[in-house]
Amino acid sequence: MTKLKRFRRKQFLDKIITKRRLIILNEETFEEQFSLRLTILNVFLLATIGAIFLISVTTYIIAFTTLREYIPGYSSTELKEKALLLGLKSDSLEFQLKKNDAYIESVKKVLTGDLEYAKVNKDSILASDYVDPSEYEMNASQEELQLRKQVEEAAKKDSK
């Protein structure tokens, strides 16, 4: 059985390594235009290298040019920048709208007599949106205190 396998393997290698001739002929005159000696192994290697080259060039073109914008899921950098700017504008417009609504509500209260005119002030309306950080308990945890000590010790060592 092993001799049979060896024989088949040798026969396969002989087929791959055996040189063959590729000839291109002129069909009308049967004149040889081009001749090339090849092996099946050479053709296989050439085809593999060509395929790898073609795939890498295609990947490079798609990844580093504007062609990637045509692939679903990719968007242009210009579109991303515009979306970011529009998001920022909408946030600022929302904030301005809230301020204007609060001002209009306070003016309505003055007109209906619910509030004195002296109390209506645009600065007081703006201050109503202010959140005082002292309202929240902001105590450092034990882990944070230990980290602060480590950072101070490292800064002392670096300064020496």
Side-chain angles (χ1 to χ4, degrees), residues 22 36 38-54:
L22 173 68
L36 189 63
L38 298 170
T39 63
I40 294 175
L41 186 61
N42 289 347
V43 172
F44 178 73
L45 287 175
L46 186 65
T48 303
I49 291 170
I52 290 171
F53 177 74
L54 186 64

Side-chain angles (χ1 to χ4, degrees), residues 28-144:
E28 293 175 2
T29 63
F30 293 109
E31 180 184 352
E32 184 176 317
Q33 299 291 324
F34 181 73
S35 175
L36 189 63
R37 290 183 70 187
L38 298 170
T39 63
I40 294 175
L41 186 61
N42 289 347
V43 172
F44 178 73
L45 287 175
L46 186 65
T48 303
I49 291 170
I52 290 171
F53 177 74
L54 186 64
I55 290 170
S56 61
V57 166
T58 304
T59 303
Y60 177 79
I61 288 172
I62 290 174
F64 298 110
T65 63
T66 56
L67 285 176
R68 70 172 171 252
E69 295 173 13
Y70 295 107
I71 298 173
Y74 286 98
S75 60
S76 67
T77 54
E78 182 181 332
L79 183 64
K80 289 179 183 178
E81 288 175 4
K82 284 183 180 179
L84 180 65
L85 289 174
L86 287 175
L88 292 173
K89 281 184 181 179
S90 67
D91 287 344
S92 63
L93 287 174
E94 272 186 45
F95 180 70
Q96 191 66 35
L97 183 65
K98 285 181 183 178
K99 287 191 331 187
N100 288 343
D101 285 344
Y103 181 74
I104 290 171
E105 287 297 319
S106 63
V107 169
K108 280 183 184 178
K109 287 181 183 178
V110 168
L111 291 176
T112 57
D114 294 342
L115 191 65
E116 297 177 13
Y117 178 73
K119 289 185 180 179
V120 177
N121 185 349
K122 194 167 189 174
D123 293 333
S124 66
I125 294 170
L126 295 176
S128 66
D129 289 340
Y130 175 73
V131 177
D132 188 18
S134 63
E135 295 177 6
Y136 300 102
E137 290 184 27
M138 300 176 89
N139 297 329
S141 64
Q142 290 296 326
E143 293 86 11
E144 187 176 350

